């Protein structure tokens, strides 16, 4: 059954109802004082009853807390393994526009839409949030139509208009259209694994995190990596290779700020998602051995039993020289980000 829509109050100030040709921006001219309209309204999304609405948690900030903490010494019941395809149940991933607001940017204005990504599976009721404007949705749509013309030919997208972009009715209609648009394109695996789709949702966070990691600003990189991880887990599934790479980056960051307890949890999650190299029917993950070596060091520092990790390491390397010849986890993480993001400026 579809997730109930929410009715969320939002204050929207409108200084000029006439937009520029760029659709989502408002250019103010010399006679801007002649047109000043200010009012507030409510953005409505086919709301449930008042009683049901009262039970709906209000989202006030992006939740960057990690939701899979666990102990490296506990035998995991997670049967998820490293799957190169990263397939998930697309019908269980929902997209909702939970708010919209006008934002001033110098002499222009635009509407910023907050998109919540929720996976209606198991006990996962948390939301991963991004904020995007119409022009960013439009760029995504144009790029996907150019790359996948056959897949995208029957997918509707809210058209540009010359005027009325800041009207409550226009904002509400676009919000519903964006929800339907994202839900539709997400059903196509080629689309949801494309660089264009990844750039729209989480690659910009990974690019920022990469810059922080390269200059040793690990504390600053952590919340950005956590937000990217939250989105990746919703959109790709918890055992996808990209998720494992981001988990590894968080292990590196927490180790460098001497927060072994957090590094311990993220290392456990990453290792639970990787199958051993000794299983010939599954593709090897290059992060496995470096993660095991790092996890063993963490357990040694915090006094945890590391014997099961040492046994797993011995099963996946030929000898001590083989283990030591593998790149360190930090080197692998930086190499991964260098291959997926532009160099820092």
């Amino acid at each position: 059954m579809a997730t109930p829509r929410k009715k969320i109050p939002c204050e929207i100030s409108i200084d000029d109802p006439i937009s520029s040709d760029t659709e989502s921006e408002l250019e103010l001219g010399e006679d801007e004082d002649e047109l000043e309209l200010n009012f507030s309204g409510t953005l409505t999304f086919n709301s449930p009853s008042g009683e049901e609405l009262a039970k709906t948690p209000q989202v006030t900030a992006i939740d960057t807390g990690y939701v899979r903490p666990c102990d490296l010494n506990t035998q995991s019941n997670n049967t998820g393994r490293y799957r190169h395809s990263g397939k998930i149940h697309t019908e269980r991933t929902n997209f909702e526009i939970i708010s919209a607001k006008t934002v001033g940017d110098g002499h222009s204005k635009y509407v910023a839409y907050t998109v919540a990504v929720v996976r209606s599976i198991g006990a996962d009721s948390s939301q991963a949030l991004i904020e995007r404007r119409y022009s960013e949705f439009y760029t995504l749509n144009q790029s996907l139509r150019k790359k996948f013309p056959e897949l995208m030919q029957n997918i509707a997208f809210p058209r540009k208009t010359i005027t009325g972009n800041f009207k409550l009715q226009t904002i509400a209609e676009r919000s519903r259209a964006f929800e339907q648009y994202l839900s539709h394109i997400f059903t196509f695996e080629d689309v949801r694994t494309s660089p264009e789709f990844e750039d729209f949702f989480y690659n910009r966070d990974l690019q920022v995190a990469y810059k922080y990691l390269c200059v040793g600003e690990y504390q600053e990189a952590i919340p950005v990596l956590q937000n990217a991880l939250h989105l990746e887990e919703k959109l790709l599934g918890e055992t996808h290779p990209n998720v494992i790479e981001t988990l590894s980056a968080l292990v590196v960051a927490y180790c460098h700020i001497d927060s072994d307890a957090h590094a311990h949890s993220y290392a456990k999650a990453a290792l639970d998602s990787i199958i051993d190299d000794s299983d010939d029917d599954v593709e090897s993950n290059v992060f496995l051995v470096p993660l095991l070596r790092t996890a063993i060091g963490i357990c040694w520092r915090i006094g945890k039993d590391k014997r099961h990790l040492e046994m797993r390491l011995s099963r996946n390397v030929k000898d001590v020289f083989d283990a030591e010849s593998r790149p360190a986890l930090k080197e692998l993480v930086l190499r991964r980000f260098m291959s997926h993001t532009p160099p820092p400026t």
Side-chain angles (χ1 to χ4, degrees):
M1 186 174 72
T3 301
R5 302 291 187 183
K6 303 181 181 65
K7 182 177 181 181
I8 300 172
C10 61
E11 297 298 325
I12 303 176
S13 297
I14 300 179
D15 297 321
D16 187 340
I18 303 175
S19 75
S20 69
D21 291 338
T22 57
E23 172 60 24
S24 61
E25 297 183 349
L26 171 65
E27 301 294 341
L28 301 181
E30 295 179 353
D31 59 346
E32 64 187 53
D33 292 335
E34 297 178 6
L35 291 173
E36 288 191 2
L37 301 176
N38 292 283
F39 62 92
S40 63
T42 301
L43 180 61
T44 304
F45 302 92
N46 298 332
S47 174
S49 66
E51 181 179 357
E52 292 173 330
L53 182 62
K55 298 178 182 179
T56 304
Q58 296 298 312
V59 179
T60 57
I62 292 179
D63 176 12
T64 57
Y66 187 52
V67 296
R68 284 198 289 159
C70 41
D71 191 332
L72 279 167
N73 294 304
T74 302
Q75 292 298 323
S76 172
N77 292 323
N78 179 12
T79 58
R81 292 298 190 182
Y82 174 75
R83 294 190 295 270
H84 186 69
S85 64
K87 292 183 178 180
I88 62 174
H89 297 286
T90 57
E91 71 276 6
R92 297 178 180 177
T93 300
N94 302 316
F95 300 89
E96 297 180 5
I97 305 296
I98 63 171
S99 68
K101 62 182 179 181
T102 55
V103 179
D105 183 12
H107 290 291
S108 65
K109 287 192 176 183
Y110 60 90
V111 178
Y113 299 87
T114 300
V115 183
V117 185
V118 180
R119 291 193 69 199
S120 55
I121 180 173
D124 179 17
S125 60
S126 61
Q127 297 173 319
L129 307 181
I130 60 171
E131 188 176 270
R132 299 291 183 263
R133 54 199 291 183
Y134 177 92
S135 60
E136 292 173 299
F137 279 98
Y138 183 81
T139 299
L140 171 66
N141 182 59
Q142 291 296 99
S143 299
L144 292 177
R145 288 185 185 279
K146 183 178 180 180
K147 189 169 185 176
F148 307 107
E150 294 184 1
L151 291 178
M152 300 292 295
Q153 63 181 347
N154 295 321
I155 298 180
F157 186 83
R159 63 183 180 86
K160 284 188 174 184
T161 58
I162 298 177
T163 61
N165 295 290
F166 299 97
K167 290 182 178 179
L168 296 179
Q169 181 179 354
T170 300
I171 293 173
E173 289 175 351
R174 283 185 172 176
S175 297
R176 289 190 294 270
F178 287 148
E179 290 176 345
Q180 295 169 358
Y181 174 78
L182 292 175
S183 297
H184 197 165
I185 66 174
F186 188 69
T187 61
F188 301 118
E189 183 175 0
D190 287 343
V191 171
R192 68 175 180 268
T193 58
S194 67
E196 293 81 5
F197 188 87
E198 294 175 350
D199 288 343
F200 181 82
F201 278 99
Y202 50 81
N203 269 355
R204 62 182 65 183
D205 280 343
L206 294 177
Q207 291 171 7
V208 172
Y210 165 67
K211 294 180 181 181
Y212 283 135
L213 292 173
C214 282
V215 297
E217 296 180 356
Y218 301 102
Q219 187 69 62
E220 290 77 4
I222 287 172
V224 187
L225 286 168
Q226 287 174 326
N227 194 55
L229 174 66
H230 202 183
L231 286 162
E232 286 179 312
E233 288 182 328
K234 304 287 187 183
L235 296 168
L236 302 174
E238 295 179 352
T239 60
H240 192 278
N242 289 5
V243 173
I244 295 170
E245 292 168 351
T246 305
L247 286 168
S248 299
L250 280 161
V251 173
V252 170
Y254 274 117
C255 282
H256 277 82
I257 64 170
D258 298 324
S259 183
D260 286 331
H262 288 89
H264 185 260
S265 294
Y266 286 108
K268 167 62 175 173
L271 288 170
D272 278 349
S273 297
I274 304 175
I275 199 166
D276 287 2
D277 289 349
S278 56
D279 291 339
D280 297 331
D281 60 332
V282 178
E283 181 180 352
S284 172
N285 189 311
V286 69
F287 282 86
L288 175 58
V289 172
L291 270 169
L292 284 169
R293 294 182 63 194
T294 301
I296 290 170
I298 294 171
C299 287
W300 182 84
R301 291 193 296 273
I302 62 179
K304 297 283 187 178
D305 183 7
K306 60 185 187 313
R307 288 174 295 179
H308 66 288
L309 296 173
E310 292 172 333
M311 292 176 61
R312 186 176 180 185
L313 178 63
S314 66
R315 292 197 304 267
N316 289 278
V317 295
K318 298 177 181 178
D319 48 41
V320 175
F321 177 78
D322 180 26
E324 294 180 350
S325 65
R326 307 283 184 100
L329 187 61
K330 179 181 178 180
E331 180 183 347
L332 268 184
V333 165
L334 293 180
R335 187 185 301 172
R336 181 265 179 182
F337 282 115
M338 288 178 66
S339 66
H340 287 274
T341 62
T345 57

